[in-house]
Amino acid sequence: MNKVSPGPTPGFLVWRLANKWRVAVDRAVAPLGLTHAQYSLVASLYGMQRAGERPSQRQLADHTGLEALYVSKLARSLESAELIERTRDPRDPRAVQLALTARGQAVTRQAIDVVQELHQQLLEPLGGLDAPRTRALTDELTTLLDTSLTPSLPNNESTQGATS
């Protein structure tokens, strides 16, 4: 027998918050010619470049949590917009390295400022970006993100006898 929750589940609330955040970022960065997914990629790339890295598409996918194929698609569209450059990795000819162009750096800095303003608005009910409640929430979310998930298959006729 399934237990029915009296209110929204944590998973539902995380999903709703993620969607609210995605829509807000999409609207905020649209005037800069970016989507939320593109912003996630260029902002991550910006931070990695500032740390002296020139990541491959795979490394950026791992960093952002996006699928490698999706990062490749986003990178091609950002390259067409002249925001990033894609070059072959001299150490691995199969890998593609990414770097922001000068224009990409300028647009990304603007986008980061816009999204930081959204962060302030979103986190105001918790006391703001540097508040103890915000730090606690960040710690809890990090714990959940670090948890490995392996979906279980339902035990029914269609999956019985199936091997993994």
Side-chain angles (χ1 to χ4, degrees):
M1 177 143 97
N2 288 338
K3 294 180 183 178
V4 178
S5 174
T9 64
F12 178 74
L13 293 173
V14 167
W15 177 74
R16 288 278 318 271
L17 183 59
N19 281 317
K20 177 181 179 175
W21 182 250
R22 182 191 50 77
V23 168
V25 173
D26 268 336
R27 288 180 181 152
V29 299
L32 298 171
L34 296 172
T35 65
H36 181 257
Q38 290 172 328
Y39 167 76
S40 296
L41 193 128
V42 296
S44 294
L45 185 54
Y46 183 81
M48 293 172 94
Q49 274 187 218
R50 287 184 54 137
E53 298 177 52
R54 186 173 175 128
S56 68
Q57 287 182 171
R58 165 56 66 191
Q59 290 168 315
L60 196 55
D62 291 344
H63 178 81
T64 60
L66 296 171
E67 293 291 327
L69 191 59
Y70 190 45
V71 168
S72 177
K73 179 182 174 184
L74 290 170
R76 282 193 296 276
S77 71
L78 291 164
E79 182 181 41
S80 294
E82 300 179 352
L83 297 177
I84 69 167
E85 57 186 19
R86 299 166 67 237
T87 57
R88 290 279 168 211
D89 185 334
R91 298 162 300 188
D92 181 357
R94 298 167 298 165
V96 175
Q97 289 181 317
L98 303 175
L100 290 166
T101 62
R103 180 172 176 267
Q105 288 179 18
V107 168
T108 301
R109 279 192 299 272
Q110 287 180 289
I112 288 170
D113 289 344
V114 167
V115 173
Q116 286 289 47
E117 173 85 19
L118 280 176
H119 267 123
Q120 291 295 349
Q121 290 176 33
L122 178 69
L123 297 170
E124 194 59 39
L126 299 180
L129 191 57
D130 296 321
R133 287 179 68 195
T134 300
R135 285 192 297 277
L137 174 64
T138 300
D139 291 344
E140 297 293 352
L141 292 172
T142 300
T143 297
L144 295 175
L145 284 169
D146 289 344
T147 301
S148 176
L149 296 177
T150 52
S152 61
L153 295 174
N155 189 14
N156 63 34
E157 291 177 24
S158 65
T159 59
Q160 287 188 1
T163 58
S164 299

